[in-house]
Amino acid sequence: MGTIYIDDKAVEFEPGQNVLDAARKAGIDTPYFCYHPALGAAGSCRICAMETVPQKEGEKPRTVMTCSIPAQDGQQFRFKSPKAKQIQKAVVEFYMTNHPNDCPVCDEGGDCHLQDTTISVGHAYRRYDGQKRTMPDQFLGPLVYQTMNRCVTCYRCVRFYQDYALGDDFGAMGSSNHVLFRRTEDGAFDSPFSGNLVSVCPTGVFTDKVYRRKYSRTWMLEKAPSICSGCSVGCNIEVGGREGTLRRVQPNNEESKVNPYFICDRGRYGSHGTESHSRPKYVSEQGKVVKTSPLDALKIALVRAEGHVGILGSVEEDLTTNLALKAIAKEMNAPFSPFISPQQEALTKTAVAANHNAPSISDIEQSDAVFVVGELTEHAPMLDLAVRQVIKAKKDVYVLHATPSHLVTALNKLQRGHVKALAPSQWQDCLTQINTAVHDGAVEDLWIKDVANALKQAEKPVIIGVAELLNTADISLLNTITESLAPAAKMAIALPSAGSVNAALTAQENSCAELMTQIESDKIKTLVVVGSDPLNTNNPHWHALHDKLDQLIVIDKVLTKTAHLSDTLLPLAAWPERDGMTINYEGRLQRFSKAFARKTATIDAHSMIETLMKSPETIEQWLTELAPTLPQAGDDGIIIEKDKLKCTELPLEQKTNPPAIQSTQPQVALSKWFGEGYVADHAPEIRSLKPGSSASINPKLAASLNLSNGDQLMIICGDQKLVRPAVISSQVADLTVALNQADMRLLQADIASPLCLERTSELFIDADKKEEIKNIIGSASVIMMGEA
Amino acid sequence: MLTDQERAHLEEHIAHYPEKRAGAIYCLYFMQDKYGYITKPSLNLVSELTDLSTTQLDELITFYTLLRRRPVGRNIMRVCDSISCHTRGAKKVLEAAENATGKALGEIANDGSVTVLPSICLGLCDRAPAALINDDRVEGELTPERMRMILTELAEEEIKLSEKPDYQNIISMLTPQDAPAKTNEEVM
């Protein structure tokens, strides 16, 4: 702590802050472009100039750039001196000589840092009447739109993309007055964080291309602080809606402990999935729209069921919804479960229970050794961004994975040999060995020794696992490893979905099994499904259960497979359209508030309680038990006490370990894409970037099958067969076939299920391969096209 | 792409520096000298040698005007357009070059003989307006007429070369005498 003086006003600063930082925190409206709280200063824009006040006799006032001067006790500056003002004015005038005055047609207009600065500095009239510089724009895919002429060369975009997010397909090209910020080739960005260019750019060079299609000026938006429903990290977002539709999503709170400045593309663009044309908007019965209010329809349907009701909540929904459903179920004496399978229930509960000592994002960023198990980017992108800060700080990061991951690419660039690709069935063995090595046991594998040493030597080690890819034994192994490290060691398990903790806390013991048994034994004839998609799993069980039901009521915000098969389909309010509360992976209770109302009536937790329950107090009571003071929307949330986060009962049923498979047999590994999600799958823009179905294998396996990139590969799992083009990637573990979730469903395969692989014969024969094929077939004549 | 010897040479050069990326410019020049410009495969190769991404190499190449990503003619002529040469009529010289080749500056003449580029000061102010051909031949006191003459000369160079009577002989001399006669299959 210390004090500096700006225009004779005392300004407190923290050690390590620069003068601009301190001035900004103290509420002095200093202009700046190249400086960004997360990216630091480049010293390139020259607008944050202030004048020093002479401290000694004979000293003259100097002009300094405050962003590159560390604050020291007793320094004095003049921000409002004529000299400083003149510099600021001249710099803005210089930028405005080239900047097009296109604010009326610019998406950034009204929300523009350059516009604000130009006005606050007082530059109103253009003196320069020469030609402006014109730059070529580049097509950057469906998410980000570029207008290069507006650039003020602050380099924030490149500093974010290359230095902060460790991307390498976007850069600053050229020099002096001809700097272009672009990719080497046209097309969409590789990075899962590219949408942040929109937030980082102080002017309108990068704008949100999805928002652009349904644009509204910022002051016309109905905005509210909300929480992202994309994954279990629970990022703070600001949602802007207008006329009953979602328009824009952006990071909200600079002071947030979860995500101060950035969000991932799944959060920013995936939320638009609720705007898809197929979204249920009206009550429909047997596929026909009925003109009633959704709540009335629900009430009538429940009355019709005569007490034979079961309720299926969702791991995608918030705490309030699951609590409301639980309370309603209790009042109706109906079974309730938020999980679609006992396995999912067991795994989620174990993962939530293991997260009792989870690091926050800033804990991860400040850690000095990180061990990641699984493809983190593809499951919880913002945790990956935090790990990238550790990589950047040249602290050890180790990754154990089975399929290609963005984090592996980023890590391979800066830390060689820190990555290990292992087939999923070998993970448990590897973790056991790491555990042995951490406890000073003898281990042969050098990589395992390195991991154990790095974790042991670190003061604040962090272990991050991905719940969807681990079984309960793996999670408890990670827990044991964490417990034997330094006292500050922490472990986080990235949970499968945004509401995993909510679901784990509300579910009774074996709730899903109970629900399923009751349907099977014909006790339940009506099932209410809220925000869940049970008929879209690789579990054929649910299809049998569906046949037993008289009535399937689905309440959802996107049109899922289950919604297609429903008898009654009712619209559910998405998170931005209602108030609610949720808990993220670290046990942080967060509140979100309603940004806008849809034009047609939707169902939400509160209205359900009001219409369906006689005594609605139960939820409030439960919440006050959970946390004495409840958070407000837009704040940091409240960390729930650790013992309250423990699930009601620990699962009795362990997730079955993968069947023992022969060491030479290939196996399935789940390969996700970072933009996938329950809602995001319905957002057309981000979905258009999703890679097609393929089977990724590593070069060694490809060679043994005599496959080259793009060849058709027949995958056989039990009775199921599937043909997919092979993609050869060195990031896939040996004897592993990386498949996406949909393909795994088709194959009815689980992670680490054994496979048989075959090369399929080619449908078309290349003319140049004629000779080769003749040799293979032997004397039989091959008649090619065009050959007599 | 590179012979083992060339690759070893580049690796040895890179080993001089504490950081691999410091050797990037040398490697890029090497590839440019070999192929006339930096091709995409060359870029990937330098990226592999220096641990810089291809985007970072592209940033470097676009920053320095002497590195090029596009093909050029057999000869490169840099005509100075900085202050001394400008006052002595570099603009007219450049215009003459454009007219003579029929191409804009930076493009390859139709016959592939030359690419004319404007350049910052070449340090030849005493002989302004000046030009540098292929980094070693200096032309001073240029006029539009002189420029046209030089361009014609460069265009005819190739023709002269092919007209040389001993041109074919040189090739036959270079072929090893004891080379085995080609088999019929190879000829086909």
Side-chain angles (χ1 to χ4, degrees), chain A residues 177-200:
Chain A
N177 203 21
H178 306 285
V179 181
L180 283 166
F181 296 94
R182 52 168 33 221
R183 284 167 49 87
T184 24
E185 283 151 18
D186 284 6
F189 291 102
D190 288 346
S191 171
F193 312 103
S194 64
N196 289 307
L197 295 181
V198 176
S199 300
V200 151

Side-chain angles (χ1 to χ4, degrees), chain A residues 16 48 104 152 160 177 190 206 310 335 354 363 368 541 612 666 714:
Chain A
C48 62
V152 296
F160 170 78
N177 203 21
D190 288 346
F206 298 102
D363 286 339
D368 49 358
H541 204 54
L612 299 177
M714 165 99 75

Side-chain angles (χ1 to χ4, degrees), chain A residues 327-339:
Chain A
I328 292 166
K330 204 174 171 188
E331 213 175 75
M332 294 197 307
N333 203 12
F336 161 75
S337 173
F339 298 103

Side-chain angles (χ1 to χ4, degrees), chain B residues 58-178:
Chain B
D58 256 334
E59 288 181 326
L60 198 75
I61 295 164
T62 51
F63 187 88
Y64 290 113
T65 46
L66 295 184
L67 291 169
R68 3 173 230 277
R69 277 299 306 279
R70 282 196 292 174
V72 287
R74 288 191 299 278
N75 301 292
I76 288 192
M77 186 196 279
R78 296 176 199 283
V79 183
C80 175
D81 62 354
S82 289
I83 186 78
S84 299
C85 293
H86 180 79
T87 52
R88 301 265 295 168
K91 207 175 170 187
K92 281 188 179 161
V93 174
L94 281 164
E95 272 169 16
E98 277 185 304
N99 290 335
T101 55
K103 293 276 181 177
L105 296 178
E107 288 180 26
I108 309 172
N110 275 342
D111 60 354
S113 63
V114 70
T115 297
V116 183
L117 293 165
S119 167
I120 52 154
C121 186
L122 296 169
L124 297 166
C125 304
D126 56 329
R127 302 188 57 191
L132 193 61
I133 302 168
N134 294 338
D135 298 341
D136 50 12
R137 179 176 153 199
V138 173
E139 289 289 337
E141 291 99 20
L142 287 172
T143 54
E145 291 75 42
R146 175 77 189 130
M147 173 56 84
R148 278 192 284 275
M149 275 170 65
I150 296 169
L151 289 174
T152 321
E153 194 185 303
L154 290 175
E156 284 170 354
E157 212 167 54
E158 186 76 354
I159 301 164
K160 274 184 207 155
L161 198 67
S162 61
E163 280 169 356
K164 276 185 185 169
D166 54 352
Y167 183 64
Q168 286 298 327
N169 293 340
I170 293 167
I171 294 172
S172 63
M173 273 164 67
L174 290 172
T175 328
Q177 296 293 320
D178 51 351

Side-chain angles (χ1 to χ4, degrees), chain A residues 8 38 157 170 205 256 423 547 582 585 624 637 641-642 713 763:
Chain A
D8 299 326
C157 50
F170 172 80
V205 177
S256 163
D547 294 338
T582 182
Y585 74 100
T624 36
E641 281 177 41
K642 302 304 172 199
L713 178 67
L763 206 53

Side-chain angles (χ1 to χ4, degrees), chain A residues 494-522:
Chain A
L495 304 169
S497 24
S500 290
V501 184
N502 309 329
L505 287 189
T506 43
Q508 303 278 357
E509 185 187 352
N510 283 334
S511 64
C512 183
E514 173 72 19
L515 181 71
M516 284 170 129
T517 338
Q518 291 217 20
I519 301 175
E520 209 153 8
S521 59
D522 288 334

Side-chain angles (χ1 to χ4, degrees), chain A residues 277-575:
Chain A
H277 292 300
S278 63
R279 173 175 178 172
K281 293 192 186 81
Y282 308 97
V283 179
S284 66
E285 275 175 18
Q286 314 293 355
K288 281 180 189 153
V289 174
V290 183
K291 277 190 181 173
T292 50
S293 95
L295 279 165
D296 289 344
L298 180 62
K299 223 170 165 179
I300 292 165
L302 287 179
V303 170
R304 212 187 297 156
E306 295 167 346
H308 301 291
V309 182
I311 299 180
L312 185 70
S314 169
V315 288
E316 297 290 341
E317 283 305 319
D318 64 330
L319 186 61
T320 344
T321 307
N322 277 331
L323 276 180
L325 292 173
K326 189 185 178 183
I328 292 166
K330 204 174 171 188
E331 213 175 75
M332 294 197 307
N333 203 12
F336 161 75
S337 173
F339 298 103
I340 53 173
S341 69
Q343 287 85 0
Q344 189 192 32
E345 178 165 2
L347 185 71
T348 310
K349 282 184 173 175
T350 319
V352 170
N355 263 352
H356 59 86
N357 185 21
S360 69
I361 291 220
S362 60
D363 286 339
I364 300 173
E365 283 173 359
Q366 283 152 22
S367 126
D368 49 358
V370 179
F371 177 42
V372 179
V373 186
E375 294 80 33
L376 190 61
T377 329
E378 285 67 24
H379 292 260
M382 286 308 283
L383 292 184
D384 164 79
L385 190 60
V387 174
R388 283 173 198 232
Q389 303 321 302
V390 185
I391 299 176
K392 211 180 69 188
K394 294 186 176 144
K395 303 280 166 56
D396 284 337
V397 174
Y398 289 89
V399 179
L400 171 64
H401 70 112
T403 62
S405 170
H406 279 82
L407 182 60
V408 172
T409 316
L411 182 60
N412 271 340
K413 267 189 300 182
L414 296 172
Q415 301 184 3
R416 286 278 161 86
H418 281 205
V419 168
K420 196 170 185 80
L422 275 184
S425 66
Q426 294 165 14
W427 284 19
Q428 197 168 331
D429 184 44
C430 177
L431 294 178
T432 318
Q433 287 195 48
I434 292 174
N435 191 21
T436 320
V438 167
H439 288 97
D440 300 319
V443 174
E444 277 183 18
D445 193 318
L446 281 177
W447 188 81
I448 289 172
K449 271 187 198 165
D450 286 349
V451 176
N453 282 339
L455 289 173
K456 270 198 292 187
Q457 280 157 16
E459 281 171 20
K460 296 176 281 181
V462 166
I463 294 181
I464 306 174
V466 176
E468 242 173 303
L469 307 173
L470 300 172
N471 56 38
T472 43
D474 295 339
I475 293 176
S476 61
L477 265 172
L478 288 178
N479 215 350
T480 330
I481 297 172
T482 317
E483 274 162 13
S484 53
L485 298 175
K490 294 193 171 195
M491 180 184 81
I493 302 287
L495 304 169
S497 24
S500 290
V501 184
N502 309 329
L505 287 189
T506 43
Q508 303 278 357
E509 185 187 352
N510 283 334
S511 64
C512 183
E514 173 72 19
L515 181 71
M516 284 170 129
T517 338
Q518 291 217 20
I519 301 175
E520 209 153 8
S521 59
D522 288 334
K523 276 187 195 157
I524 295 173
K525 281 298 183 191
T526 295
L527 183 69
V528 183
V529 178
V530 182
S532 185
D533 195 9
L535 298 178
N536 193 24
T537 56
N538 49 358
N539 189 349
H541 204 54
W542 267 109
H543 293 279
L545 294 180
H546 177 222
D547 294 338
K548 292 205 141 219
L549 292 171
D550 285 346
Q551 201 182 189
L552 177 64
I553 305 169
V554 175
I555 311 175
D556 213 334
K557 52 195 172 188
V558 286
L559 191 69
T560 58
K561 205 174 167 190
T562 313
H564 264 301
L565 297 168
S566 66
D567 300 308
T568 308
L569 178 59
L570 306 171
L572 177 69
W575 290 23

